[in-house]
Amino acid sequence: REELGAAVQEDGSPSMSWSFQGLMPYTALPLSAAHSQEMEHLAANILLFLLLFSMLTLTQAVEIPPQVEQLPTITEWSSTTVVAFPPDEDFSMKCEAKGNPEPTFQWTKDDKPYNPFTDPQVLTTRNSGTFTIQNNANISEFQGKYRCFASNKLGTAISEEVQFIVPSEPKFPNEKIDPVEVKEGDAVVLPCNPPAGIPPLHIYWMTLDLVHIPQDERVTLGLDGNLYFANVEETDSRSDYCCFAAFTRIRTIVQQMPMTLTVHSANSLKERRPKLVVPSGSTTSRVIVRGDDLVLECIAEALPTPKIEWLKRGGDLPKSRVVTEYHGKILKIKDVSDADDGTYHCVASNHIGRAQHEFHIRVEEPPQWKRKPESNVYSIGSSTVLLCVATGNPEPEIKWKVNGIAIENVMLPSSHLVRGKEISITDLQVNDSAVYQCEASNIHGTILASANIDVLHISPLILSLDNVEYITVARKPVLLHCKVFAVPEPVISWIKDESTVPLQGAHFSIHDNGTLEIKEPDQEDSGSYTCWVTNQLNKAAITAHLTVLEATKIVRMPASRPVMKLHKGRWECHAETDPRLKHSLKVSWEKDGEDLEMTDTKHSRIIIEKDTLTILSVIPEDQGDYSCVVQTSLDSVSATFHLTVLDVPNPPENLYLMEKHNQSVRLSWEAGKSHHSPMKEFIVEYEDERWRPEEWHEIARVPPNESSVLLSLVPYLQYRFRVSAVNDVGRSQPSEASEIYETAPAAPDRNPANVRVEADDPNEMTIRWEPLKPEEHNGPGVVYRVSWRLRGQESDWKEETVKRHSFTVKGTPTYVPYDIKVQAENHFGSAPAPKIFMAYSGENTPDGAPPNVTVEILNSTLIKAGWSKIRQDQVRGHLEGYKVSWWKIRSLLDGKRDHPERHFLTFPGDKDSGMIPGLDPFSEYHLSVAAFNSRGDGPQSVKKTFQTPQGVPEQPPFLKILSFDKDSVTLSWGIPEKPNGILTGYLLQYQAINDTKEIGRLKGVNVTNPSAETWKIRGLDPSTRYKFYLSACTALGCGRSATEEGLTVTQAGPGIRRISEAVNSTQSFLPTDLHQPGVELTVQLVPKSEANISSSMFEDIFETRGRVYVGVSEGVSTQGWFIGLMCAIALLTLVLLAACFVHRNKGGKYSVKEKEDLHSDLEAHSVRDEHFGEYSDSDEKPLKSSLRSLSVDLKCSDSVDSLGDYGDSEHGQFNEDGSFIGAYTGLKDKETVEGNRKSKLLYPIHA
């Protein structure tokens, strides 16, 4: 009601009051003739309001179904301007419409009829008003304003006017431009005069080489395209000034003919006040359309070049929308509004004077709709009012048309009343259906609005389908459609199933279009629903069927929780739904309202697997609100959770230095975001820009509740600070570095450390120290003052100042003590007094030999050497120890002299004796002693000669069984290579070792003949396995034993014995002691790892053949029998090799008694308190050693392994008591002794 009332008032009607109950009465008026006209006007307005009220209550705005007759409506048309570009394309003028009956189309061109359907240059389409202008000829004749008309029997709709523009090709005139000649300082305008063309137009001034002419406050391009010079200079002279006009819409650039400007120099330049060249005159009036950009231009000439200033009278320029261009000569105000209306001043000035121009700006606007007439459907007898209200400046003119014809040219019934901006129609009939057009126009444009007045009389027409099945879920609103079209307006009701009572209540709602809404359905609402539609003409009905399913619900919801950065996060979202909806169940995930897409599980960080979301490595960008969305074809539910990412803090910000002092400063900062983890501390670091740039060092740690710290500083450094924050997750990146803070220089506060003396020459000493670090200099010009004097003297210090960190004092006595000190200095003073330390000058080699050298024989391989110490003055330095050297002269066994090979042992410290191990028994030696210091060895003492006593012999190289009888065996052995004395005989022992747990008693035989190499043992049991032990003996005792074992025979005969030897894959074996012919041999080849001969790889029986020859005649090698014999021997060698290998690897099973403890050596002495030196010899070889002697009671030792058995060579090492390093823990498991065919080293087994 308010809008209608306002419209009437705008039309000039008198205002009046009215209410829902009707018009309120006016006060009584006299019935004079003067008031009769006013009363008639009042009555007309009353009638208008009644019509408007009835229109609001009797009409409805609905869409007419296509099958119902209706007025035409234009649905698609071309824009208001069509430019024929590009020129090689076709151009369409669109006009499409709907209506029933199907509309027909007509066009006008420049307000005259135009039939495109008969024009051969135009393409048209059936049942369409669109036509296409073919660009295959001259199309300039098509230029003009077009309007489309769509008509059927009910009325006509029209389109807005469309202007078709055929641009001509813009060209500059092809004529030579006269040259311009001026004097220096004059003002010049170079004209452009661009050709007409389709805007927008852009002007450029360039040379023929396409180089832009420079522009500044003096040289300016005007909006008219001319080039303005406020004053010219000689450098402006050139012959190729060219104006280029660019028409961007038609993509065309044209060039003016080149222009010549010649500037002649002047003897003197006369300055002049500014004069405005553009615009001319003192004032300009402009009209600007609201919303456009206001562009004002002021170009002045003067010498010197003037400045341009812009002002607005009575106000300020809108700063947010103002732009100045071309060095202030153009003022642009964007998006002009009514507030920009007014007077603007342009002022050009220099120091000579000023000039100004006024712009009077009036802001206007094209027509805009305030209220347009609206299409609607009306029933017979109803009324309506069409309103057409537009705003604009100047005020728009309103013109009405009916079916495209000006309303003043149409005969309207008396029920139609036209009053300016409104048309009222009463008692509408079917033949009143028409299309009404309203045009609002002023000088800035025209707008068109259309309204279809459709007067219908139709019985109910239900547009929705019948018997539609609707499926929904519980508690989700459902709409049952019953779209209806009927005029007059029908009554709509719904009933359920067999009920006759219409549905009503808060649970149900019937929309205006007939749709039934059930707001929160449950399964009881399932059933059939009937929609009944009734009006004055008839009634109709349709049925809808509704099924309500159980709603989907989430039974396991993802929970909000914090996750550490780069850690894994996992959330589950389990849902339940109606079984009939499971096929459409889908789970999706969202973050901050946007979908998370399914990703490749192999390479993606975020993985979605059905109802599970996994983020493998959480980053800060993952933080946010997540939703699990469960959807079916009917409903959707969601659960939301928040992911909080715990991360290291953001770096602190805004570092600031305050309380600046020479050696302290306070640093403050602002903490960054903690990323949901509480701060633990701040770490402050510094770098020194002077000495160590980009090397950061920690200087302080600050509690989390503080944001500043007072820092103690060192003089003469250029500090930069940065701060890192620490929380439970970790340490942040460092902050931006602070400003540089340089501390004042000062004297050093410390002296060099690690002062020491290094003497490479007896008559000098070099004093060295660790120099101060750069950050310890405290100032420039750091040097070191070195002071020294003889210790114990109060003489003056000798001093020297150096920059390096060493100084050599020459001419010093040998090895005398000095007092030394080193002090740091710089340009600002000296460090505190340094500490004095004592050091000796350079050393020299000792000049005295140790006297009184003695030798004490401890055993056959060990002696104790003794000597007297040299005097301190003979040391000539720091005594590092004594060096004992010895060498063998000859063997006492055979008198053979050895090549002298010197051996050395050093005894560190101030000792006067030492143990010398590893000597050969029964030998003669020389020995001497020398003192040494860091410079070297002193002179050797007088040689001392000594002889070592006899020792026990080495193990015999082999022990073999030559033959076995029923009760005897014949043994053979080799003489020890090193008897270590005079042999006195051999100890031969044996015992039975049959394959039982019991072993026989150990028996022995003393062989007193030292040159014997065989022995026959009698009284043995037949068919018994024996083990034999043989040791060589001297007067000192017996040595290590060699062993062998064998089996006696049952009957007397040649005997049976076993021979074994370890062989490799290519080795041959020949038992040379089997020289009798007719010997039967069983040869077996057994893997070394097998203990039983039954697992032999090869076995065969051979018999030796041949004769015993006293001599060999000449030419025997050429005899056939000899060649055959050699072949047989070769074959026998291979067989015997295998047999020996089997024999050597076969062993019986018997228990072995625990080893007896070793008895002490017969020659052993107590040497636990003696000292052994550091051994060396002339060839830098390790020390050789001999075996320890065995106990006479045992005759053989349980532990007689050589040093080679426990080391990497035949040499061993000794402890200070002369014993071998490392306790013997048992005999090494040597299956065979390779290389010298020694038997296995086993020990006697005592019964």
Side-chain angles (χ1 to χ4, degrees), residues 937-1216:
D937 298 344
Q940 296 287 328
S941 67
V942 177
K943 290 188 300 182
K944 182 70 174 179
T945 302
F946 66 93
Q947 294 180 346
T948 56
Q950 295 186 66
V952 295
E954 285 187 348
Q955 173 183 312
F958 65 90
L959 174 62
K960 296 183 179 180
I961 300 174
L962 292 181
S963 63
F964 260 117
D965 265 332
K966 181 178 180 181
D967 59 353
S968 65
V969 63
T970 301
L971 299 172
S972 173
W973 61 84
I975 298 174
E977 294 181 3
K978 289 186 177 182
N980 294 335
I982 301 173
L983 286 178
T984 60
Y986 296 90
L987 174 63
L988 178 59
Q989 296 175 299
Y990 59 96
Q991 61 187 156
I993 55 169
N994 282 334
D995 294 341
T996 64
K997 293 185 178 180
E998 295 183 0
I999 58 175
R1001 184 172 61 87
L1002 183 67
K1003 301 177 181 179
V1005 177
N1006 284 321
V1007 180
T1008 57
N1009 181 6
S1011 59
E1013 296 186 38
T1014 61
W1015 192 266
K1016 187 171 185 177
I1017 301 177
R1018 303 180 187 276
L1020 301 179
D1021 296 331
S1023 300
T1024 302
R1025 180 178 296 281
Y1026 283 89
K1027 188 163 187 179
F1028 303 93
Y1029 310 87
L1030 179 73
S1031 302
C1033 304
T1034 63
L1036 193 63
C1038 298
R1040 192 174 179 181
S1041 60
T1043 63
E1044 180 63 294
E1045 60 182 73
L1047 183 67
T1048 56
V1049 297
T1050 304
Q1051 297 179 353
I1056 299 175
R1057 62 192 176 102
R1058 175 173 297 151
I1059 303 173
S1060 65
E1061 184 68 42
V1063 296
N1064 56 31
S1065 59
T1066 61
Q1067 184 175 344
S1068 61
F1069 173 63
L1070 176 63
T1072 56
D1073 53 339
L1074 296 178
H1075 52 275
Q1076 297 95 342
V1079 176
E1080 186 178 271
L1081 300 175
T1082 300
V1083 180
Q1084 290 179 317
L1085 185 63
V1086 182
K1088 184 177 180 180
S1089 59
E1090 298 290 340
N1092 196 336
I1093 63 173
S1094 62
S1095 59
S1096 63
M1097 300 165 57
F1098 167 83
E1099 181 172 344
D1100 204 348
I1101 299 175
F1102 300 87
E1103 180 178 350
T1104 61
R1105 292 180 297 175
R1107 300 177 181 175
V1108 179
Y1109 290 87
V1110 177
V1112 180
S1113 61
E1114 294 182 0
V1116 70
S1117 61
T1118 62
Q1119 303 298 317
W1121 62 266
F1122 181 76
I1123 296 174
L1125 177 61
M1126 292 299 101
C1127 292
I1129 292 175
L1131 178 61
L1132 181 62
T1133 300
L1134 178 60
V1135 173
L1136 292 180
L1137 175 64
C1140 184
F1141 178 79
V1142 172
H1143 176 74
R1144 302 289 275 181
N1145 283 277
K1146 179 182 178 181
K1149 296 180 181 178
Y1150 51 89
S1151 60
V1152 181
K1153 193 180 178 184
E1154 292 291 326
K1155 294 182 180 181
E1156 297 286 336
D1157 292 332
L1158 286 173
H1159 290 268
S1160 59
D1161 193 301
L1162 291 176
E1163 299 179 343
H1165 292 268
S1166 177
V1167 294
R1168 296 184 181 274
D1169 297 330
E1170 302 298 340
H1171 300 283
F1172 285 87
E1174 298 175 359
Y1175 174 77
S1176 65
D1177 61 20
S1178 58
D1179 294 330
E1180 298 296 329
K1181 296 180 179 178
L1183 180 68
K1184 295 182 179 180
S1185 62
S1186 62
L1187 296 173
R1188 300 180 64 183
S1189 61
L1190 301 174
S1191 169
V1192 172
D1193 294 336
L1194 288 175
K1195 303 300 181 181
C1196 294
S1197 172
D1198 284 349
S1199 181
V1200 290
D1201 293 351
S1202 68
L1203 293 179
D1205 292 334
Y1206 290 87
D1208 294 334
S1209 67
E1210 61 178 351
H1211 309 295
Q1213 293 179 326
F1214 295 89
N1215 288 328
E1216 289 190 357

